[in-house]
Amino acid sequence: FGPTLCIGEILVEIVANTAGSGFLEPQPLTGPYPSGAPAIFIDQCGRFGGSAAMIGSVGKDDFGRVNTDRLQRDGVDTSAIHVDPALPTGTAFVRYRDDGDRDFVYNMWTSAAGALDWTAEVEAVVARAGHLHIMGTLLVQQRIWQVIERAAGIIKSRGGSVSLDPNLRKELGADADTASRFAAVVSMADLLLPSGPELFVAAGTDASAGENAALASLFAGGAREIVLKRGAAGSTCFTAEGTRIDAPAFAVTELDPTGAGDCFGGAYVAARRLGFDMAQALTYGNAAGARNVTFRGPMEGAGTRAELDAFIAGKGRVA
Ligand code: ADP
């Protein structure tokens, strides 16, 4: 059975207090908040009560501590988080524009976040894991891809499962190998969690051919379960056997949208692996995503199972 494992970047996020364009003048900022899509996912997974472990790299500095302390507090096994003596922890400075778009200044792949190797600690945690969650964003990064590919091969060959959140980000760019890596992880994934147009990118079908054509292509390729995240419209789960379940979103006032999809995924995967059915897991996913956008900071609103139960019972009220 074994823990759910996530691999990838660990960052701190520092957010501009006011909306506007870019960072060209001095301005008040809030942070550091623990962040990085894989870290948000696994934090929500651990906080929900699922067995969870993280592979990543931080610097020997306070920004690294902010992350490892948070993950440990929320029950995540951090034994395979490498503390790099030479590089600082990754950072992302974020400013929202009035239209909801974001400007970023990243120090990601030239920081400890990009310096991931196959260590004895990584080997040990992969040997225990029962499930691997992959973030598509990471496929641009050769060094991290090597760890993901090797871990996925080991976990799949032992009968473990794989989920994929395409999590495509225009800011991160792509090298020539990214498309073939992306196709490789799509074909390995038992569960896919795309958001908006990512469904068509994952399926390799045209959006004009419709959602059903994309789903059919992914099921033909081996997927068992596909969950579409639809922002404030909630989520829908489809299975290879033809089941469809729709779950409405919770009505909340969005303060900071970062991390919604990662919290949704962390709660959904944790709930499924703990034996909840798809309808229950969708409700927990919607609750985790919605609760998280009511907090400033990318993982500040990740909820325990009790917090999510209270949120659901209160129809979206944060206790
Ligand atoms: P991503 O961050 O991957 O683009 P979404 O924006 O679709 O993903 O958010 C993931 C989930 O979080 C949604 O399916 C929904 O359940 C919840 N969610 C996100 N934003 C809101 C919102 N403004 N109101 C209510 N629920 C939300």
Side-chain angles (χ1 to χ4, degrees):
F1 204 62
T4 296
L5 178 63
C6 201
I7 302 174
E9 83 276 16
I10 298 171
L11 308 172
V12 292
E13 189 164 308
I14 295 164
V15 190
N17 291 358
T18 54
S21 184
F23 287 102
L24 295 174
E25 69 288 331
Q27 55 191 277
L29 304 164
T30 303
Y33 292 115
S35 189
I40 300 167
F41 170 91
I42 208 68
D43 185 70
Q44 174 59 79
C45 197
R47 220 170 141 70
F48 189 79
S51 173
M54 174 88 195
I55 294 175
S57 176
V58 296
K60 198 173 167 43
D61 52 33
D62 285 353
F63 287 176
R65 278 284 302 283
V66 162
N67 278 285
T68 48
D69 286 358
R70 172 66 60 89
L71 292 173
Q72 279 167 10
R73 184 200 78 185
D74 288 340
V76 177
D77 173 350
T78 60
S79 62
I81 294 179
H82 175 67
V83 180
D84 195 297
L87 290 168
T89 299
T91 52
F93 291 79
V94 185
R95 189 174 193 195
Y96 286 93
R97 296 187 175 197
D98 289 324
D99 63 6
D101 213 357
R102 295 175 276 197
D103 291 312
F104 282 104
V105 177
Y106 276 122
N107 176 20
M108 185 99 96
W109 309 131
T110 49
S111 72
L116 206 57
D117 292 308
W118 192 272
T119 60
E121 290 77 16
V122 167
E123 177 94 30
V125 87
V126 169
R128 288 196 296 277
H131 180 90
L132 175 65
H133 181 75
I134 300 174
M135 292 285 177
T137 331
L138 294 170
L139 307 178
V140 300
Q141 228 284 334
Q142 166 72 12
R143 209 160 153 187
I144 296 183
W145 167 242
Q146 285 175 346
V147 177
I148 292 177
E149 189 182 28
R150 192 164 161 187
I154 293 170
I155 293 168
K156 279 292 257 193
S157 70
R158 250 200 348 257
S161 47
V162 167
S163 51
L164 170 67
D165 184 339
N167 204 21
L168 305 171
R169 289 280 154 76
K170 64 181 188 309
E171 296 88 355
L172 294 173
D175 64 39
D177 294 325
T178 305
S180 71
R181 292 174 187 167
F182 190 65
V185 293
V186 168
S187 72
M188 267 187 249
D190 306 281
L191 164 65
L192 284 102
L193 300 131
S195 159
E198 291 172 354
L199 170 67
F200 305 108
V201 180
T205 59
D206 206 87
S208 62
E211 219 167 81
N212 287 343
L215 293 165
S217 160
L218 289 169
F219 287 131
R224 308 296 313 157
E225 204 167 304
I226 300 171
V227 178
L228 303 187
K229 291 173 284 173
R230 303 185 195 270
S235 56
T236 307
C237 180
F238 300 87
T239 67
E241 292 75 31
T243 308
R244 173 189 176 132
I245 301 171
D246 288 287
F250 293 89
V252 291
T253 304
E254 185 176 288
L255 186 65
D256 179 351
T258 305
D262 307 319
C263 281
F264 178 98
Y268 187 86
V269 170
R272 290 293 281 142
R273 298 204 70 232
L274 285 166
F276 289 97
D277 65 25
M278 287 182 304
Q280 290 168 315
L282 283 180
T283 302
Y284 277 128
N286 283 340
R291 185 177 191 275
N292 194 53
V293 304
T294 66
F295 287 75
R296 187 181 292 279
M299 68 166 86
E300 302 310 301
T304 62
R305 201 152 108 208
E307 284 167 341
L308 295 181
D309 283 335
F311 182 87
I312 293 164
K315 296 193 169 46
R317 195 177 37 83
V318 177

